[in-house]
Amino acid sequence: MTRELVLNVTSSDISIALLEDKQLVELNKEKNNLRFSVGDIYLGRVKRIMIGLNAVFVDVGYQKDAFLHYLDLGPQVISLQKYVNQAISSKEPHISLYTYKLSDDINKNGKISNILKTGQTILVQVAKEPISTKGPRLTSEISIAGRNLVLMPLSNKVSVSQKIDSIEERNRLKRLIQSIKPNNYGVIIRTIAQGKKVSELDSELKELISKWENAFKNIYETKPPKLIIGEIDRTSAILRDMLNPSFSDIYINDETLFSQIKDYIKSIEPEKEKIVKLFSGTKPIFEHFGIEKQIKSLFGKTVSIKSGAYLIIERTEALHVIDVNSGNRSVNEKDQERNALEVNMLSAEEIARQLRLRDLGGIIVVDFIDMHESENRQKLYEHIKTLMENDHAKHHILPLSKFGLLQITRQRVRPETNIVTIEVCPICKGSGEVAPSIIFVDQLESNIEYLLTKITNKVIKVKVHPYIYAFIKSGFISIRFKWIIKYKRLIKVAPDNSYTLFEYHFFESGGEEIEL
């Protein structure tokens, strides 16, 4: 399997598309002004204690107070609080954890009011980004992620990723980390650490410990709410978590981000530096790689599958529902069971892809086509479990019920990716009535004329729908050529498949959009 990453950088956000064998399987959008990313560590202040919920609301600087439940405190929260309070009250440059005496673990069935008080300063980490009207979800069991290791301050446990199958390799890594880790630091060994040498792991471990210690050097000057340790941006985090030997190419259409990611790849895997490539094509990068078309076909309510079958994906307040339909697929009446199995197996592949692509979380119920034989239901269950092994989000799948229902729970830490594929007409605004299309080009020229009176650029670029582009460029003396002669400026016209029929935008030669 070949894996490619395509990054589309615009003035407002960065879209990150993961392709597996040219098929879009993940799509992330990162706003340039994004705050409260998963992994960020804040010094917050307890605002309200909710005894009934056994939880507290914490002020971390977001418009809505963040939520921290008792079960998310972590067993060593008392040790953490003492360490933070000592660092705040002391002006010493560093308080070492190596010799720090840990307190006993808290009672798993305790009350949060016995641990935290209103107005108390607390160190917390974002576990879920703000979703809908809810503020961030927090944990005080702090972890700092690296490429090969995850550091767990105030712990002494060493654990190894379950995805490392070799018992010998698991034991080697565990012995290795236990021999080099300092006291009071726990470590989770990630899958990517498989086969790595002690020098590389030791270097990363020291870097993560330094990151933790540096955050406390001037914490006595800090007033909550305040970001203490910021997670790297989502672009780099995705690379850190997803990059593996199967990656063949990373394409980026922005020089600055290209340089940053190339340096990042060079620092973690110098031999893969060449896979980072700057895209400089004339078409938009997503259109060039066929991603724009896949987005339009994959994010609607109805998703087509091979041989006429299709899925209907709907969202309710409590869960997501996916209905499998055979559609106009030819059905052999003599072997209804076999046909149902074939459609269900094909649908399972698309469902596993859709869960990653849309980043669906919470409870997902799939209504497969009924199958009477328990052997076929088990075969489908094993098939979808295998398909979802590549899903990095935590998930749990229950066997099919006798009604053909499959239940999945999937971790949600960010808002789901929701792209509207049905377009409202930009001309009629949904009214169903439009101005005569014959005068559209006159309106476009009128805007060009107005724009040229406001700016002094020698070159402007107009992006339009491909049909409009063809009309403007056609003929021995094209409309575009007449504009150039009339206004004595170079006017470039380019097609864009993502535009609606009468949509257009103006750009400078450097690519910056010109607002009318």
Side-chain angles (χ1 to χ4, degrees):
M1 179 190 296
T2 59
R3 306 181 91 202
E4 298 171 300
L5 210 59
V6 182
L7 287 82
N8 180 29
V9 182
T10 66
S11 57
S12 60
D13 56 37
I14 301 172
S15 297
I16 308 160
L18 172 63
L19 305 179
E20 292 181 352
D21 293 333
K22 304 298 181 182
Q23 295 293 309
L24 180 65
V25 294
E26 288 187 27
L27 182 67
N28 294 274
K29 284 200 173 186
E30 177 186 355
K31 294 289 182 183
N32 289 337
N33 60 352
L34 183 70
R35 297 181 63 209
F36 300 100
S37 294
V38 171
D40 285 349
I41 300 173
Y42 284 85
L43 193 65
R45 189 178 299 281
V46 177
K47 291 290 291 294
R48 286 177 294 159
I49 296 178
M50 309 298 291
I51 296 175
L53 297 175
N54 204 16
V56 295
F57 284 100
V58 182
D59 179 15
V60 291
Y62 189 67
Q63 58 189 10
K64 295 261 187 177
D65 290 335
F67 184 79
L68 174 63
H69 193 273
Y70 182 86
L71 296 177
D72 295 320
L73 288 177
Q76 277 295 319
V77 65
I78 294 176
S79 299
L80 176 64
Q81 283 301 103
K82 288 181 179 178
Y83 183 79
V84 171
N85 292 337
Q86 189 176 341
I88 291 173
S89 60
S90 173
K91 293 188 178 181
E92 295 179 12
H94 170 58
I95 303 171
S96 175
L97 267 186
Y98 305 165
T99 57
Y100 194 76
K101 186 176 179 180
L102 301 181
S103 303
D104 294 335
D105 290 356
I106 62 172
N107 184 352
K108 291 182 180 179
N109 301 313
K111 300 294 183 183
I112 202 164
S113 56
N114 296 332
I115 307 293
L116 301 175
K117 306 297 179 186
T118 302
Q120 183 175 344
T121 299
I122 180 172
L123 193 73
V124 290
Q125 186 169 28
V126 177
K128 286 186 180 181
E129 290 180 9
I131 296 174
S132 185
T133 59
K134 299 177 182 178
R137 178 77 180 256
L138 304 177
T139 177
S140 59
E141 193 166 11
I142 306 299
S143 63
I144 304 175
R147 174 154 173 77
N148 301 291
L149 309 172
V150 178
L151 183 71
M152 305 283 289
L154 299 162
S155 171
N156 281 296
K157 185 179 179 181
V158 176
S159 55
V160 185
S161 168
Q162 295 293 327
K163 292 184 179 180
I164 298 178
D165 298 323
S166 169
I167 297 175
E168 292 79 5
E169 178 63 8
R170 291 170 61 86
N171 292 336
R172 181 190 77 87
L173 289 169
K174 192 166 186 175
R175 287 195 304 268
L176 189 157
I177 294 299
Q178 285 174 332
S179 68
I180 62 175
K181 85 169 188 68
N183 188 39
N184 292 336
Y185 284 105
V187 176
I188 300 172
I189 303 169
R190 309 183 74 173
T191 310
I192 196 69
Q194 192 167 356
K196 295 295 172 64
K197 297 180 180 178
V198 62
S199 57
E200 186 175 348
L201 298 179
D202 183 52
S203 175
E204 182 173 312
L205 181 60
K206 288 177 179 177
E207 183 181 331
L208 294 173
I209 292 172
S210 176
K211 188 175 183 179
W212 166 260
E213 292 179 344
N214 288 338
F216 286 87
K217 285 186 176 178
N218 298 313
I219 198 171
Y220 66 90
E221 300 175 341
T222 303
K223 293 183 179 181
K226 182 71 174 179
L227 177 67
I228 301 299
I229 302 176
E231 173 65 293
I232 59 176
D233 62 87
R234 191 181 299 176
T235 307
S236 298
I238 288 172
L239 287 174
R240 179 193 67 196
D241 297 340
M242 293 167 41
L243 189 67
N244 61 46
S246 68
F247 262 82
S248 56
D249 295 291
I250 299 173
Y251 297 96
I252 307 160
N253 66 344
D254 180 79
E255 288 190 26
T256 303
L257 188 60
F258 164 75
S259 300
Q260 291 173 358
I261 291 180
K262 191 169 185 178
D263 291 341
Y264 175 73
I265 298 292
K266 188 176 181 180
S267 68
I268 59 172
E269 289 198 43
E271 67 278 6
K272 296 191 77 67
E273 179 188 358
K274 293 181 180 178
I275 71 172
V276 187
K277 299 173 182 177
L278 180 64
F279 177 80
S280 56
T282 54
K283 287 184 176 181
I285 188 168
F286 271 16
E287 188 176 331
H288 176 83
F289 287 99
I291 297 170
E292 193 69 45
K293 184 177 180 180
Q294 291 192 57
I295 290 173
K296 293 290 186 184
S297 64
L298 292 172
F299 277 92
K301 176 181 174 181
T302 303
V303 179
S304 298
I305 313 174
K306 298 175 183 176
S307 305
Y310 63 93
L311 305 176
I312 294 179
I313 303 176
E314 293 191 289
R315 174 187 177 185
T316 71
E317 188 65 27
L319 47 79
H320 294 86
V321 180
I322 303 176
D323 184 34
V324 177
N325 293 272
S326 58
N328 58 7
R329 178 186 170 92
S330 58
V331 177
N332 183 351
E333 294 181 0
K334 295 181 180 179
D335 201 348
Q336 176 69 30
E337 183 79 6
R338 182 170 62 83
N339 279 288
L341 178 61
E342 288 178 4
V343 172
N344 286 339
M345 296 290 269
L346 282 172
S347 300
E349 296 177 15
E350 185 59 40
I351 288 166
R353 177 187 181 190
Q354 286 288 332
L355 296 185
R356 294 174 64 189
L357 186 60
R358 302 187 190 214
D359 202 10
L360 301 183
I363 301 173
I364 299 117
V365 177
V366 185
D367 182 11
F368 284 105
I369 298 173
D370 288 347
M371 295 183 295
H372 301 293
E373 296 179 15
S374 59
E375 181 183 337
N376 288 337
R377 290 198 296 270
Q378 183 64 25
K379 186 183 292 186
L380 176 60
Y381 172 62
E382 296 296 336
H383 183 53
I384 198 161
K385 282 207 305 183
T386 303
L387 291 168
M388 290 188 66
E389 286 179 356
N390 292 328
D391 194 334
H392 52 79
K394 294 178 183 177
H395 59 270
H396 183 66
I397 308 172
L398 294 180
L400 272 81
S401 72
K402 63 180 180 180
F403 300 114
L405 298 178
L406 181 78
Q407 298 173 70
I408 303 171
T409 59
R410 188 174 183 274
Q411 180 189 33
R412 180 175 67 178
V413 296
R414 299 186 179 96
E416 69 179 76
T417 304
N418 186 23
I419 297 175
V420 178
T421 56
I422 298 176
E423 300 168 349
V424 175
C425 174
I427 305 302
C428 74
K429 308 300 182 186
S431 69
E433 297 178 351
V434 299
S437 57
I438 195 169
I439 67 170
F440 168 72
V441 174
D442 293 336
Q443 293 174 346
L444 177 59
E445 182 182 354
S446 176
N447 281 322
I448 291 173
E449 184 176 7
Y450 170 71
L451 188 65
L452 294 178
T453 62
K454 292 178 59 179
I455 63 173
T456 57
N457 302 42
K458 293 183 178 179
V459 180
I460 67 164
K461 186 175 184 179
V462 186
K463 283 189 178 182
V464 294
H465 188 276
Y467 289 169
I468 303 299
Y469 168 80
F471 179 71
I472 292 173
K473 292 274 289 183
S474 64
F476 176 68
I477 302 178
S478 66
I479 293 172
R480 170 183 169 269
F481 185 74
K482 291 177 181 178
W483 288 345
I484 293 172
I485 299 298
K486 182 177 180 180
Y487 300 111
K488 297 181 174 58
R489 305 272 189 98
L490 180 55
I491 301 169
K492 295 183 177 180
V493 182
D496 194 316
N497 281 332
S498 66
Y499 284 16
T500 52
L501 182 60
F502 292 147
E503 183 180 359
Y504 57 90
H505 295 276
F506 299 102
F507 298 86
E508 296 178 356
S509 55
E512 291 293 320
E513 185 172 354
I514 305 170
E515 297 291 341
L516 277 173

